[in-house]
Amino acid sequence: MADSAELAANLDRVARRAQGAMRPWAWRQAAERGAEVLAPTATAVPLLVLAASVWGLFSGRSWWSLGVAPTIALAIALPLAYMLVATVLAYWRHPPTRAMGLAFHDHRLGLRDRLQAADFFLRAEAPSGFAQAAIEDAAGFAQRALAAELPKLQWRRPALRPGPWPLGVLALVALVIGLLLRGQSLALGDSAEDAGAGEVDNPVAAAPAAEQPDEEPAHRENRRSPAPRPAPRPSELFAFAADAGGERPPLGMGALPADFEPSETRAANAQASQAGLAAAGASSQSADQAPRPKRERTRKPAGKRRKPTEMRREESASSGVAGGSGTSAGSRLAASDHPAADNKARSDESQDDVEDDAEDEEDEEQKAAATRKPMLNNQKAPVDRSLTPAGIGDQERDDLNGRSGPGGLKKTRGVAAMLLGVPMPDHLRGKPNPGRVKVRRERSAPEEKAVQAVPAAARGRRDEAFGDINHMRLPPRARSTVRDYFLAQRQTTNNAKEEP
Amino acid sequence: MSVAESAGPVPVETAEAARAAAAGFKNVCGRLKAEVAKMFVGQHDVVDGVLTALLAGGHVLLEGVPGLGKTLLVRTLSEAVSLRFSRIQFTPDLMPADIQGTTVLTETAGGGHELSFQEGPLIANLVLADEINRATPKTQSALLEAMQERQVTIGRRTIILEEPYCVMATQNPVEQEGTYPLPEAQLDRFLLKLLVGYPAETEYHGILDRTTGAAVEAAQPVTDGAEIVRMRATVRAVAEPDPARTYAVRLVLATQPNSDHAPKSVTENAALGASPRGVQGLILAAKVRALLDDRFAIATDDIRAVALPVLRHRVLLNYRAQSANVTADALIEDVLAAVPAPNAVA
């Protein structure tokens, strides 16, 4: 019993020594485990910044209010803090235990688990004879472990696994892109207007602000997004001009420099000039959209209602036909170009309904004009009166009212339809269904047939090898498929082995 | 009285008794090895494996090309332990009654006839099943009951086999035409599967000396069945500390696809892993190794040393592994590399 107590004390000392030596190693192991979460965590802040920037790109408002330096600091500090917590947790879960200390000595001194076994059997209630022998056997080895110099635990450098590194690169790229895109917005259609609306949330409240030259521009800048923007936008130019106390330039009629003219405005100008319409009207309409975005948003349903009419206008313009519709639209747009009328329309919303009624009347007038001059307004293709077989299969069109040429069915009666347009196979491949199998039973009397029996003595001696006996268990196609599969597998394996 | 009854229990309750039993075990093993070495040259791993299976109470499957002395090794061992030995040459037309025994019509002294039971070669202490994979599954299955339950049932007659009982089977990895691969249930009943390779160059000279000279060597009995039974009891008394036992369990779990400890290669290439018999085999074989190494408890190193012969026939490969030439030994090597010993540092 005394020997057991002495052995237990020795094992305690051995284990404590080893635990002390293993503590730095255990911290490094914990740090290695903690570093595994570094890359995934590092993507959090960059992805948030990127999402905020992309959101701001389309909506004009970014909900990420931190500056560049705090953002970068947060992107670095957050994963580091998380890694620190993960490291502490990993160490707390896997500290160097007593058993690990004994196993460390067993392994270093080649003791074949004698110390661990003795420690295990010492705690057993009724150790067997072999367990007692193992305990006594370990006493000498425990003394040897105490006397031995503890080797320094080598820490192997963790292998560079490809797993987390792409995440780190992704985080860096996302952070850079997110920071570059901050404060920018797309100038596409309504989004540009929305972006302008994003700068000034309430245009009605913004108008007096634009008329107050004594307000500090920097003060209004603070109300906007704090991120710097690379280039000024037309709405900002207007606001800057108003802030400077200058007169607001007349909208349309080339009031904007070509560089700062919105793309939509330029497109409208080009379209109007091509159609021979009032280019200034179209331009003024587009330019007017910038300072009153809210009103345009409220009129969107009306715009939808007018959509067929606008489509007809575009068709007329593209076909080069200068109908009454184009002129009418131009005059209407030109009328709205007047600043006084514009202000009046902005102040009185009921004027919109009056304009919608006027547009409906114009649509009716266009329909009447189209009835009087059908060939000018009709965009249908000229009637094909040829007898080519191209018309085969066309459906008879009811809307032509008998004014069309021969239809597809009629054309098929012509000589041209006798040409074989579609190559048709002249026979069918494959095995037809054999149909029902008819079984007929016949009775016949057994017949005696001569048997060509070979006597055993005449058979000779079989002294030659049979050769390769091939067991045909699969049909040839299946054998070929299986063989190709295994050859491909082997080829893949060989290629993988050749490419370390 | 059978050998097992004469042996009796072996009380190993004190450290002194344990030391004495271990010393006796090692002594007998040494003598057995020396006697086998008279006839069988080299192949020390194979000899150790066969002795391990015999002393651990298991069966052994020897696989090797013809001419390597598999049959000679088993026959020599049976002569050295002085046990009842029978040899069965398995052929495709061998029937279960041919090895288990059957009822035959015999003539009595008075000129009459009566039915009497005649034991087959399966009823012995050491059974050499030569080229076991040449018999049909029906005949192979006749071995199952004898190997696991140590009894043979023929009709209504059940014969309890005498201890020690050990089946040593051989099979040829080539000439697979006309063979019947052993079913998994039977493979699992073999404690070890040993691969017999070609001897080294120096060993060829010893083989020539023993087989082509005028002097004819013969193995002499150095022990008996009772001693073998006592040695088996000694093996089972060896202590098992928890780390070694845990390691054996994890190794077996790691051979099972999709288990928590299985490496990727096992999940991809193995169709079936080792069963609980695999853990039993690991522990028993490790105990024999610990005794031969003058230790009283098994260690994780013992488990690692016996993992290949114990587990290689219990891992069933899938088609992917066969097409990629992945062997069971390679998978077990992966398992050994992937599963660390408990409390292992670095």
Side-chain angles (χ1 to χ4, degrees):
Chain A
M1 187 59 69
D3 293 342
S4 297
E6 183 183 353
L7 175 64
N10 285 342
L11 288 178
D12 282 342
R13 283 199 290 272
V14 168
R16 275 199 299 273
R17 276 186 65 201
Q19 281 175 285
M22 289 167 61
R23 211 157 277 134
W25 170 84
W27 272 113
R28 288 194 196 101
Q29 292 285 324
E32 194 176 334
R33 287 196 185 101
E36 291 176 356
V37 301
L38 184 63
T41 317
T43 59
V45 173
L47 287 180
L48 274 177
V49 173
L50 182 62
S53 300
V54 171
W55 175 262
L57 197 64
F58 289 101
S59 67
R61 268 177 284 181
S62 175
W63 41 267
W64 186 266
S65 58
L66 286 179
V68 176
T71 301
I72 294 176
L74 184 63
I76 295 172
L78 183 66
L80 286 179
Y82 192 71
M83 187 190 80
L84 190 63
V85 172
T87 300
V88 173
L89 281 177
Y91 183 83
W92 181 65
R93 285 176 184 163
H94 305 283
T97 59
R98 172 190 172 89
M100 289 173 70
L102 295 176
F104 175 67
H105 277 288
D106 276 335
H107 180 68
R108 295 292 170 181
L109 300 177
L111 302 183
R112 307 263 180 187
D113 296 355
R114 281 187 171 95
L115 299 182
Q116 290 183 81
D119 186 54
F120 176 76
F121 295 135
L122 276 175
R123 285 181 275 126
E125 291 183 358
S128 65
F130 271 89
Q132 294 173 26
I135 291 171
E136 294 176 7
D137 183 42
F141 291 101
Q143 294 283 355
R144 185 176 148 195
L146 277 175
E149 187 177 354
L150 204 61
K152 188 176 181 182
L153 201 56
Q154 295 292 329
W155 179 66
R156 54 182 172 79
R157 177 179 292 179
L160 292 177
R161 288 176 299 172
W165 290 109
L167 284 176
V169 175
L170 172 69
L172 187 62
V173 171
L175 184 63
V176 170
I177 293 176
L179 291 176
L180 287 178
L181 289 180
R182 290 186 71 206
Q184 296 198 10
S185 64
L186 287 177
L188 291 175
D190 289 340
S191 63
E193 302 164 12
D194 295 341
E199 298 294 332
V200 182
D201 291 339
N202 190 356
V204 178
E211 294 171 3
Q212 294 174 358
D214 53 349
E215 186 174 353
E216 289 293 328
H219 178 64
R220 285 196 291 127
E221 281 295 322
N222 290 337
R223 286 191 295 172
R224 296 173 186 168
S225 174
R229 274 174 283 165
R233 283 176 292 170
S235 59
E236 294 176 354
L237 286 177
F238 295 152
F240 182 76
D243 293 342
E247 282 290 326
R248 182 174 179 176
L251 299 178
M253 301 297 290
L256 289 173
D259 292 340
F260 295 120
E261 192 174 6
S263 58
E264 185 181 357
T265 308
R266 286 200 297 270
N269 283 338
Q271 186 178 359
S273 61
Q274 183 186 359
L277 302 177
S283 175
S284 63
Q285 183 197 20
S286 301
D288 283 342
Q289 292 173 355
R292 45 174 183 169
K294 193 169 183 179
R295 178 167 169 263
E296 284 297 318
R297 281 200 297 273
T298 57
R299 289 182 58 182
K300 270 185 181 176
K304 287 181 181 176
R305 208 164 55 234
R306 292 196 308 269
K307 200 170 183 180
T309 311
E310 292 175 359
M311 289 176 62
R312 277 197 297 277
R313 282 180 202 145
E314 290 173 5
E315 288 172 355
S316 301
S318 62
S319 62
V321 177
S325 59
T327 306
S328 172
S331 61
R332 184 181 63 82
L333 295 172
S336 68
D337 182 38
H338 198 275
D342 192 12
N343 293 334
K344 185 179 180 182
R346 192 182 308 170
S347 61
D348 188 5
E349 290 293 331
S350 62
Q351 185 68 21
D352 293 337
D353 298 332
V354 177
E355 289 182 6
D356 291 340
D357 294 339
E359 287 171 4
D360 293 338
E361 291 174 5
E362 288 170 6
D363 292 342
E364 292 173 3
E365 290 175 5
Q366 288 173 14
K367 286 180 182 176
T371 308
R372 285 192 301 272
K373 293 184 284 185
M375 295 307 293
L376 292 177
N377 196 28
N378 195 357
Q379 295 301 309
K380 294 164 186 169
V383 175
D384 182 16
R385 295 181 182 279
S386 67
L387 293 176
T388 58
I392 296 174
D394 289 346
Q395 298 295 324
E396 290 290 345
R397 295 165 60 184
D398 296 334
D399 56 342
L400 296 178
N401 298 324
R403 292 184 290 107
S404 62
L409 290 176
K410 193 172 182 179
K411 286 178 183 176
T412 57
R413 299 183 194 128
V415 178
M418 295 179 69
L419 298 173
L420 191 59
V422 179
M424 296 288 291
D426 55 353
H427 66 279
L428 293 173
R429 285 189 171 185
K431 183 180 178 183
N433 188 353
R436 297 178 60 188
V437 178
K438 187 176 181 180
V439 179
R440 187 174 61 182
R441 293 182 178 178
E442 294 181 353
R443 290 191 173 185
S444 60
E447 298 177 359
E448 184 180 358
K449 291 185 177 179
V451 179
Q452 294 179 351
V454 179
R459 285 179 187 160
R461 191 164 63 91
R462 193 177 68 192
D463 53 359
E464 293 182 354
F466 278 111
D468 186 19
I469 301 175
N470 199 3
H471 291 272
M472 189 73 74
R473 293 177 181 173
L474 295 172
R477 173 176 288 183
R479 288 173 62 87
S480 174
T481 303
V482 171
R483 181 176 180 275
D484 292 344
Y485 170 75
F486 283 113
L487 285 177
Q489 285 283 326
R490 183 161 297 178
Q491 185 66 31
T492 307
T493 307
N494 291 337
N495 291 339
K497 287 179 180 175
E498 289 174 4
E499 298 174 4
Chain B
M1 189 169 61
S2 67
V3 176
E5 290 169 352
S6 64
V10 182
V12 187
E13 297 186 354
T14 62
E16 286 298 326
R19 273 192 284 270
F25 182 92
K26 193 171 182 184
N27 181 25
V28 175
C29 266
R31 282 188 284 144
L32 272 175
K33 279 187 189 178
E35 204 61 31
V36 170
K38 288 182 182 175
M39 302 289 293
F40 193 77
V41 180
Q43 308 276 11
H44 299 292
D45 289 343
V46 177
V47 174
D48 287 345
V50 171
L51 278 175
T52 299
L54 176 66
L55 299 176
H59 312 283
V60 64
L61 176 63
L62 298 168
E63 184 174 292
V65 297
L68 295 182
K70 302 184 292 290
T71 308
L72 174 68
L73 170 63
V74 177
R75 201 179 65 229
T76 305
L77 189 62
S78 68
E79 292 172 0
V81 296
S82 182
L83 289 173
R84 185 177 169 193
F85 172 75
S86 63
R87 181 181 189 277
I88 310 169
Q89 184 67 45
F90 278 65
T91 57
D93 56 353
L94 193 72
M95 299 302 290
D98 297 335
I99 61 174
Q100 290 177 330
T102 186
T103 305
V104 296
L105 193 64
T106 56
E107 188 173 353
T108 59
H113 294 81
E114 66 176 11
L115 289 170
S116 62
F117 180 76
Q118 186 169 353
E119 293 179 347
L122 200 57
I123 300 168
N125 291 116
L126 278 182
V127 178
L128 171 60
D130 209 4
E131 296 193 277
I132 189 174
N133 57 340
R134 294 208 175 275
T136 59
K138 183 179 183 179
T139 308
Q140 291 175 4
S141 299
L143 286 171
L144 294 180
E145 185 185 10
M147 292 172 72
Q148 185 64 32
E149 279 84 23
R150 312 294 170 104
Q151 65 181 26
V152 176
T153 303
I154 306 139
R156 294 184 177 179
R157 185 194 305 267
T158 298
I159 302 172
I160 305 297
L161 297 175
E162 187 177 326
E163 289 290 345
Y165 184 76
C166 182
V167 174
M168 299 183 181
T170 69
Q171 70 175 5
N172 194 345
V174 296
E175 298 176 0
Q176 293 296 311
E177 291 289 342
T179 62
Y180 301 90
L182 294 179
E184 304 307 319
Q186 186 156 21
L187 280 176
D188 203 25
R189 281 167 166 77
F190 286 104
L191 177 68
L192 305 175
K193 179 183 178 182
L194 303 172
L195 303 181
V196 185
Y198 287 107
E201 182 181 356
T202 56
E203 295 169 353
Y204 275 95
H205 296 283
I207 293 171
L208 291 176
D209 291 341
R210 285 166 175 79
T211 55
T212 60
V216 178
E217 290 281 351
Q220 302 298 322
V222 293
T223 183
D224 54 7
E227 184 68 39
I228 297 295
V229 171
R230 274 195 295 274
M231 292 170 76
R232 284 186 174 184
T234 302
V235 167
R236 290 184 174 266
V238 172
E240 313 161 22
D242 192 55
R245 186 186 287 203
T246 304
Y247 186 56
V249 172
R250 286 182 186 168
L251 278 187
V252 167
L253 287 176
T255 63
Q256 299 167 359
N258 296 313
S259 70
D260 291 340
H261 299 278
K264 187 181 175 186
S265 59
V266 169
T267 300
E268 289 179 348
N269 295 301
L272 203 66
S275 66
R277 279 201 191 102
V279 189
Q280 298 167 3
L282 282 176
I283 295 294
L284 285 173
K287 286 182 173 182
V288 174
R289 197 170 182 276
L291 281 173
L292 293 177
D293 196 27
D294 292 330
R295 279 180 286 117
F296 306 99
I298 60 173
T300 52
D301 286 346
D302 299 323
I303 304 289
R304 292 178 68 88
V306 300
L308 266 177
V310 170
L311 297 178
R312 65 161 58 108
H313 56 291
R314 304 175 200 268
V315 176
L316 184 64
L317 303 176
N318 58 17
Y319 283 116
R320 178 192 177 109
Q322 292 173 15
S323 65
N325 284 334
V326 176
T327 61
D329 283 13
L331 290 186
I332 295 169
E333 294 285 356
D334 286 349
V335 166
L336 291 173
V339 179
N343 307 320
V345 179

